[in-house]
Amino acid sequence: MKALVYEAPWQMPLREVADPEPQSGEVIVAVRAVGVCGSDVHGFTGSTGRRIPPMIMGHEFSGEVSAVGAGVSGWQPGARVTVLPTISCGACANCRAGLPNICLNRSGLGMMTTDGAYAEAVRVPARQLYPLPAEVSWEAGAMVEPLAVGMHAANLTPIQLMDTVLIFGAGTIGLLTLMAVRLKGAGKIIVTDLSPHRLEVARRLGADVTVNPREADLAAAVHEHAGPSGAPVVIEAVGAAATARQSLELVRPGGHVTWIGNSQPMIEINMPSIVTREITIRGAYAFNREFGDAIEAIRSGSVDVMALVEDVLPLAEGPRVVTELAKGQLDAIKIVLKP
Ligand SMILES: [Zn+2]
Ligand SMILES: [Zn+2]
């Protein structure tokens, strides 16, 4: 089969590789659509250490079951599926506490050394499969995973009806979180990003206020729309030191800050200002029940994920697209590849 093989930083050519064979308890999924994720782009540059070559990336995907291994029941070839890519052990303290997203032995398809879906087919433990309803397209099926990330962040964050929410970052996750906090009853939503294009999409998706810090004073805008003491709820979906720091500066005393962005490893923060203002900072990682809920949110039309899919391209275009995204030459929000 054909696959994009991540061989070394900045090198991910289309190669002919051996067809995957299902082991016991596994199926093969013929990939119909796979989203290009920012974490893959960061992995591609070798900057995060979360993709270890040689391997095949790709964890946001939908497809059709094409082969079923021994001991798998309930799945037949031809079944339309989307795949929960984070793999938990089911036995550790966190799994037993209902928190498989932070499993102490977690791994993931298309992460570290495990092959993912930038390929014509991928080997998947059967328990990771979710049925994809007929009315959800392959492309929308590839958006289930990032939507689940946004919904998980919204679920973890205490939001009262009509709370003003400030969101840093109008990339895929920032925008999906915007839709999720809207569903949860947020009041005014303020979105900030450096890209005019992304801010325009944010407005289309229901942001009340958008701020480009290159053109306007973000703090002044927050004070104008959320009040002089800041926003009660702030979500960081960039993963950079500057925005993480601003998320703490612009939250109201007693407020909640949720960090989803996760690229910059070390940042400096003002500890007394967190303590004396009783700020709650929390990390949000992956998802639990939100994966199934995201399928239903898309199926029912509660969330328009296709508004974020700006290009659908053949797998062979993947190396060019990922390179351009890594160099900052491409401003597309979500690109979906079709093997
Ligand atoms: Zn992702
Ligand atoms: Zn576990």
Side-chain angles (χ1 to χ4, degrees), residues 157-160 163-167 181 186 188 190 230-235 247 250-252 255-258:
T157 308
I159 298 172
Q160 303 299 309
D163 267 351
T164 297
V165 178
L166 168 63
I167 300 176
V181 299
K188 224 178 264 176
I190 307 170
V233 177
V234 181
I235 290 168
S247 71
L250 295 175
V251 72
R252 172 180 303 179
H256 292 266
V257 178
T258 298

Side-chain angles (χ1 to χ4, degrees), residues 152-233:
H152 183 64
N155 272 342
L156 285 188
T157 308
I159 298 172
Q160 303 299 309
L161 290 173
M162 302 311 293
D163 267 351
T164 297
V165 178
L166 168 63
I167 300 176
F168 286 86
T172 300
I173 298 299
L175 293 171
L176 292 168
T177 306
L178 151 68
M179 291 192 269
V181 299
R182 179 62 83 209
L183 275 180
K184 205 178 172 185
K188 224 178 264 176
I189 301 178
I190 307 170
V191 177
T192 176
D193 197 286
L194 294 171
S195 155
H197 165 63
R198 289 169 179 227
L199 291 176
E200 195 247 298
V201 177
R203 280 192 295 277
R204 230 192 304 144
L205 292 175
D208 301 282
V209 179
T210 58
V211 183
N212 189 332
R214 285 199 179 119
E215 293 159 5
D217 181 348
L218 176 63
V222 171
H223 296 152
E224 179 189 340
H225 294 282
S229 51
V233 177

Side-chain angles (χ1 to χ4, degrees), residues 37 59-60 145:
C37 176
H59 57 272
E60 307 173 354
E145 197 267 357

